[in-house]
Amino acid sequence: MQVLKLRRSDLKRCAELERVLFPGDDPWSWQAFASELDQGHHYVGAYLGERLIGYAGLAVAGRPPHVEAEVHTIGVDPEHQGRGVGGALLRALLARADELRATTFLEVRTDNETAIALYRKHGFEIIGLRKRYYQPSGADAHTMRRPAVGTETGG
C-alpha cells in the first residue's frame, strides 16, 4: 500500500466509499471532494496498485505562527479496515500539520471507539462534545485536539 496525493480521477471512488461508510448520515458527493481539492486542501489516498482503498483530507487555516488544521475526513474501504490503512492516512495528514506547526482538530462520532483509539494513539485528546453533530442521524461527536508539535503540551 502507498499513501499518495489524492488523484482527481479517484473522486467518484471516494463518493462510492462515502455511501458505504456513512449511510446514516450525509455522505459526501464527488462534487464535495472536488470542492475540497479546488480550495487547495491537503488530500491523500491509500492505494493498492492503482486501486483507491482509502482517503483522508486536511484543511489548514491561518499563517505561521498561528496555524490550525482540521481533519475533514478519513475513510477506508471496509474490506481493508483493521490493516493500518487509517493510521497511515492519519500520519500523512499529521505530517503536513507538523510541517506547519499547526494545532489539529477533528470531530468523531462518540460511538466510534476504534477511531477514537486511533486518534488518542496519535496525540489527540477530547476537548468537547457536539450534540447531534451528524445529520440526519443526529449522532453526537467529540471534538478532539492535537497540540502543535513543539508546543509545551505537544511532541
PDB file of all heavy atoms in Angstrom, residues 55-76:
ATOM      1  N   TYR A  55      -9.015   7.244   1.837  1.00  0.00           N
ATOM      2  CA  TYR A  55      -8.768   8.646   1.540  1.00  0.00           C
ATOM      3  C   TYR A  55      -8.813   9.436   2.834  1.00  0.00           C
ATOM      4  O   TYR A  55      -9.401   8.995   3.828  1.00  0.00           O
ATOM      5  CB  TYR A  55      -9.816   9.193   0.555  1.00  0.00           C
ATOM      6  CG  TYR A  55     -11.220   8.983   1.061  1.00  0.00           C
ATOM      7  CD1 TYR A  55     -11.829   9.930   1.884  1.00  0.00           C
ATOM      8  CD2 TYR A  55     -11.917   7.822   0.763  1.00  0.00           C
ATOM      9  CE1 TYR A  55     -13.105   9.726   2.388  1.00  0.00           C
ATOM     10  CE2 TYR A  55     -13.184   7.616   1.255  1.00  0.00           C
ATOM     11  CZ  TYR A  55     -13.773   8.563   2.065  1.00  0.00           C
ATOM     12  OH  TYR A  55     -15.033   8.355   2.571  1.00  0.00           O
ATOM     13  N   ALA A  56      -8.196  10.606   2.820  1.00  0.00           N
ATOM     14  CA  ALA A  56      -8.206  11.467   4.005  1.00  0.00           C
ATOM     15  C   ALA A  56      -7.908  12.894   3.561  1.00  0.00           C
ATOM     16  O   ALA A  56      -7.196  13.113   2.584  1.00  0.00           O
ATOM     17  CB  ALA A  56      -7.157  11.006   5.015  1.00  0.00           C
ATOM     18  N   GLY A  57      -8.470  13.846   4.311  1.00  0.00           N
ATOM     19  CA  GLY A  57      -8.281  15.237   3.958  1.00  0.00           C
ATOM     20  C   GLY A  57      -8.063  16.134   5.157  1.00  0.00           C
ATOM     21  O   GLY A  57      -8.618  15.901   6.236  1.00  0.00           O
ATOM     22  N   LEU A  58      -7.253  17.160   4.943  1.00  0.00           N
ATOM     23  CA  LEU A  58      -6.885  18.116   5.979  1.00  0.00           C
ATOM     24  C   LEU A  58      -7.029  19.527   5.421  1.00  0.00           C
ATOM     25  O   LEU A  58      -6.531  19.820   4.336  1.00  0.00           O
ATOM     26  CB  LEU A  58      -5.420  17.884   6.385  1.00  0.00           C
ATOM     27  CG  LEU A  58      -4.862  18.737   7.513  1.00  0.00           C
ATOM     28  CD1 LEU A  58      -5.332  18.181   8.860  1.00  0.00           C
ATOM     29  CD2 LEU A  58      -3.342  18.746   7.456  1.00  0.00           C
ATOM     30  N   ALA A  59      -7.700  20.379   6.174  1.00  0.00           N
ATOM     31  CA  ALA A  59      -7.787  21.797   5.829  1.00  0.00           C
ATOM     32  C   ALA A  59      -6.875  22.567   6.771  1.00  0.00           C
ATOM     33  O   ALA A  59      -6.729  22.206   7.943  1.00  0.00           O
ATOM     34  CB  ALA A  59      -9.213  22.297   5.968  1.00  0.00           C
ATOM     35  N   VAL A  60      -6.273  23.630   6.263  1.00  0.00           N
ATOM     36  CA  VAL A  60      -5.362  24.453   7.053  1.00  0.00           C
ATOM     37  C   VAL A  60      -5.854  25.899   6.995  1.00  0.00           C
ATOM     38  O   VAL A  60      -6.220  26.390   5.928  1.00  0.00           O
ATOM     39  CB  VAL A  60      -3.918  24.345   6.520  1.00  0.00           C
ATOM     40  CG1 VAL A  60      -2.988  25.272   7.280  1.00  0.00           C
ATOM     41  CG2 VAL A  60      -3.429  22.914   6.589  1.00  0.00           C
ATOM     42  N   ALA A  61      -5.854  26.552   8.150  1.00  0.00           N
ATOM     43  CA  ALA A  61      -6.253  27.958   8.222  1.00  0.00           C
ATOM     44  C   ALA A  61      -5.192  28.740   8.979  1.00  0.00           C
ATOM     45  O   ALA A  61      -4.594  28.240   9.930  1.00  0.00           O
ATOM     46  CB  ALA A  61      -7.601  28.093   8.928  1.00  0.00           C
ATOM     47  N   GLY A  62      -4.984  29.971   8.563  1.00  0.00           N
ATOM     48  CA  GLY A  62      -4.027  30.843   9.231  1.00  0.00           C
ATOM     49  C   GLY A  62      -2.650  30.752   8.620  1.00  0.00           C
ATOM     50  O   GLY A  62      -2.419  30.017   7.670  1.00  0.00           O
ATOM     51  N   ARG A  63      -1.761  31.527   9.209  1.00  0.00           N
ATOM     52  CA  ARG A  63      -0.363  31.571   8.773  1.00  0.00           C
ATOM     53  C   ARG A  63       0.527  31.460   9.999  1.00  0.00           C
ATOM     54  O   ARG A  63       0.135  31.880  11.081  1.00  0.00           O
ATOM     55  CB  ARG A  63      -0.084  32.884   8.055  1.00  0.00           C
ATOM     56  CG  ARG A  63      -0.839  32.992   6.755  1.00  0.00           C
ATOM     57  CD  ARG A  63      -0.620  34.332   6.117  1.00  0.00           C
ATOM     58  NE  ARG A  63      -1.534  34.442   5.000  1.00  0.00           N
ATOM     59  CZ  ARG A  63      -1.205  34.900   3.826  1.00  0.00           C
ATOM     60  NH1 ARG A  63       0.004  35.342   3.602  1.00  0.00           N
ATOM     61  NH2 ARG A  63      -2.088  34.966   2.856  1.00  0.00           N
ATOM     62  N   PRO A  64       1.712  30.890   9.817  1.00  0.00           N
ATOM     63  CA  PRO A  64       2.619  30.779  10.960  1.00  0.00           C
ATOM     64  C   PRO A  64       2.821  32.136  11.619  1.00  0.00           C
ATOM     65  O   PRO A  64       2.901  33.138  10.909  1.00  0.00           O
ATOM     66  CB  PRO A  64       3.916  30.271  10.326  1.00  0.00           C
ATOM     67  CG  PRO A  64       3.472  29.575   9.065  1.00  0.00           C
ATOM     68  CD  PRO A  64       2.271  30.348   8.596  1.00  0.00           C
ATOM     69  N   PRO A  65       2.865  32.202  12.908  1.00  0.00           N
ATOM     70  CA  PRO A  65       2.862  31.081  13.841  1.00  0.00           C
ATOM     71  C   PRO A  65       1.459  30.710  14.332  1.00  0.00           C
ATOM     72  O   PRO A  65       1.326  29.944  15.273  1.00  0.00           O
ATOM     73  CB  PRO A  65       3.698  31.621  15.004  1.00  0.00           C
ATOM     74  CG  PRO A  65       3.322  33.081  15.049  1.00  0.00           C
ATOM     75  CD  PRO A  65       3.123  33.486  13.606  1.00  0.00           C
ATOM     76  N   HIS A  66       0.421  31.219  13.720  1.00  0.00           N
ATOM     77  CA  HIS A  66      -0.954  30.962  14.172  1.00  0.00           C
ATOM     78  C   HIS A  66      -1.689  30.106  13.149  1.00  0.00           C
ATOM     79  O   HIS A  66      -2.552  30.596  12.428  1.00  0.00           O
ATOM     80  CB  HIS A  66      -1.691  32.276  14.407  1.00  0.00           C
ATOM     81  CG  HIS A  66      -0.959  33.205  15.319  1.00  0.00           C
ATOM     82  ND1 HIS A  66      -0.818  32.953  16.671  1.00  0.00           N
ATOM     83  CD2 HIS A  66      -0.291  34.351  15.079  1.00  0.00           C
ATOM     84  CE1 HIS A  66      -0.103  33.927  17.217  1.00  0.00           C
ATOM     85  NE2 HIS A  66       0.226  34.789  16.272  1.00  0.00           N
ATOM     86  N   VAL A  67      -1.331  28.838  13.094  1.00  0.00           N
ATOM     87  CA  VAL A  67      -1.901  27.929  12.106  1.00  0.00           C
ATOM     88  C   VAL A  67      -2.720  26.862  12.812  1.00  0.00           C
ATOM     89  O   VAL A  67      -2.313  26.317  13.838  1.00  0.00           O
ATOM     90  CB  VAL A  67      -0.789  27.248  11.274  1.00  0.00           C
ATOM     91  CG1 VAL A  67      -1.389  26.360  10.204  1.00  0.00           C
ATOM     92  CG2 VAL A  67       0.130  28.281  10.665  1.00  0.00           C
ATOM     93  N   GLU A  68      -3.897  26.587  12.264  1.00  0.00           N
ATOM     94  CA  GLU A  68      -4.723  25.486  12.735  1.00  0.00           C
ATOM     95  C   GLU A  68      -5.027  24.581  11.554  1.00  0.00           C
ATOM     96  O   GLU A  68      -5.150  25.044  10.422  1.00  0.00           O
ATOM     97  CB  GLU A  68      -6.039  25.994  13.331  1.00  0.00           C
ATOM     98  CG  GLU A  68      -5.862  26.710  14.634  1.00  0.00           C
ATOM     99  CD  GLU A  68      -7.190  27.097  15.274  1.00  0.00           C
ATOM    100  OE1 GLU A  68      -8.262  26.864  14.669  1.00  0.00           O
ATOM    101  OE2 GLU A  68      -7.148  27.634  16.388  1.00  0.00           O
ATOM    102  N   ALA A  69      -5.155  23.310  11.849  1.00  0.00           N
ATOM    103  CA  ALA A  69      -5.517  22.334  10.832  1.00  0.00           C
ATOM    104  C   ALA A  69      -6.743  21.565  11.329  1.00  0.00           C
ATOM    105  O   ALA A  69      -6.954  21.428  12.541  1.00  0.00           O
ATOM    106  CB  ALA A  69      -4.363  21.368  10.581  1.00  0.00           C
ATOM    107  N   GLU A  70      -7.538  21.099  10.393  1.00  0.00           N
ATOM    108  CA  GLU A  70      -8.709  20.300  10.748  1.00  0.00           C
ATOM    109  C   GLU A  70      -8.787  19.097   9.827  1.00  0.00           C
ATOM    110  O   GLU A  70      -8.764  19.236   8.596  1.00  0.00           O
ATOM    111  CB  GLU A  70      -9.992  21.121  10.626  1.00  0.00           C
ATOM    112  CG  GLU A  70     -11.201  20.321  11.049  1.00  0.00           C
ATOM    113  CD  GLU A  70     -12.492  21.114  11.021  1.00  0.00           C
ATOM    114  OE1 GLU A  70     -12.472  22.307  10.655  1.00  0.00           O
ATOM    115  OE2 GLU A  70     -13.517  20.529  11.358  1.00  0.00           O
ATOM    116  N   VAL A  71      -8.863  17.912  10.439  1.00  0.00           N
ATOM    117  CA  VAL A  71      -9.078  16.698   9.673  1.00  0.00           C
ATOM    118  C   VAL A  71     -10.537  16.734   9.209  1.00  0.00           C
ATOM    119  O   VAL A  71     -11.448  16.727  10.035  1.00  0.00           O
ATOM    120  CB  VAL A  71      -8.801  15.434  10.521  1.00  0.00           C
ATOM    121  CG1 VAL A  71      -9.161  14.176   9.740  1.00  0.00           C
ATOM    122  CG2 VAL A  71      -7.344  15.404  10.978  1.00  0.00           C
ATOM    123  N   HIS A  72     -10.736  16.809   7.906  1.00  0.00           N
ATOM    124  CA  HIS A  72     -12.093  16.858   7.370  1.00  0.00           C
ATOM    125  C   HIS A  72     -12.700  15.483   7.210  1.00  0.00           C
ATOM    126  O   HIS A  72     -13.902  15.314   7.388  1.00  0.00           O
ATOM    127  CB  HIS A  72     -12.109  17.580   6.030  1.00  0.00           C
ATOM    128  CG  HIS A  72     -12.167  19.065   6.161  1.00  0.00           C
ATOM    129  ND1 HIS A  72     -12.333  19.893   5.084  1.00  0.00           N
ATOM    130  CD2 HIS A  72     -12.083  19.880   7.246  1.00  0.00           C
ATOM    131  CE1 HIS A  72     -12.368  21.150   5.493  1.00  0.00           C
ATOM    132  NE2 HIS A  72     -12.189  21.163   6.797  1.00  0.00           N
ATOM    133  N   THR A  73     -11.893  14.503   6.853  1.00  0.00           N
ATOM    134  CA  THR A  73     -12.436  13.168   6.616  1.00  0.00           C
ATOM    135  C   THR A  73     -11.315  12.140   6.572  1.00  0.00           C
ATOM    136  O   THR A  73     -10.187  12.452   6.189  1.00  0.00           O
ATOM    137  CB  THR A  73     -13.240  13.127   5.294  1.00  0.00           C
ATOM    138  OG1 THR A  73     -13.895  11.861   5.178  1.00  0.00           O
ATOM    139  CG2 THR A  73     -12.365  13.363   4.083  1.00  0.00           C
ATOM    140  N   ILE A  74     -11.660  10.933   6.990  1.00  0.00           N
ATOM    141  CA  ILE A  74     -10.826   9.749   6.769  1.00  0.00           C
ATOM    142  C   ILE A  74     -11.800   8.617   6.498  1.00  0.00           C
ATOM    143  O   ILE A  74     -12.754   8.411   7.260  1.00  0.00           O
ATOM    144  CB  ILE A  74      -9.949   9.385   7.986  1.00  0.00           C
ATOM    145  CG1 ILE A  74      -8.931  10.485   8.261  1.00  0.00           C
ATOM    146  CG2 ILE A  74      -9.244   8.044   7.752  1.00  0.00           C
ATOM    147  CD1 ILE A  74      -8.017  10.199   9.450  1.00  0.00           C
ATOM    148  N   GLY A  75     -11.573   7.898   5.419  1.00  0.00           N
ATOM    149  CA  GLY A  75     -12.422   6.756   5.090  1.00  0.00           C
ATOM    150  C   GLY A  75     -11.590   5.625   4.531  1.00  0.00           C
ATOM    151  O   GLY A  75     -10.669   5.860   3.741  1.00  0.00           O
ATOM    152  N   VAL A  76     -11.920   4.405   4.956  1.00  0.00           N
ATOM    153  CA  VAL A  76     -11.197   3.220   4.491  1.00  0.00           C
ATOM    154  C   VAL A  76     -12.208   2.175   4.042  1.00  0.00           C
ATOM    155  O   VAL A  76     -13.186   1.890   4.757  1.00  0.00           O
ATOM    156  CB  VAL A  76     -10.300   2.637   5.609  1.00  0.00           C
ATOM    157  CG1 VAL A  76      -9.617   1.348   5.148  1.00  0.00           C
ATOM    158  CG2 VAL A  76      -9.263   3.657   6.058  1.00  0.00           C
TER     159      VAL A  76
END
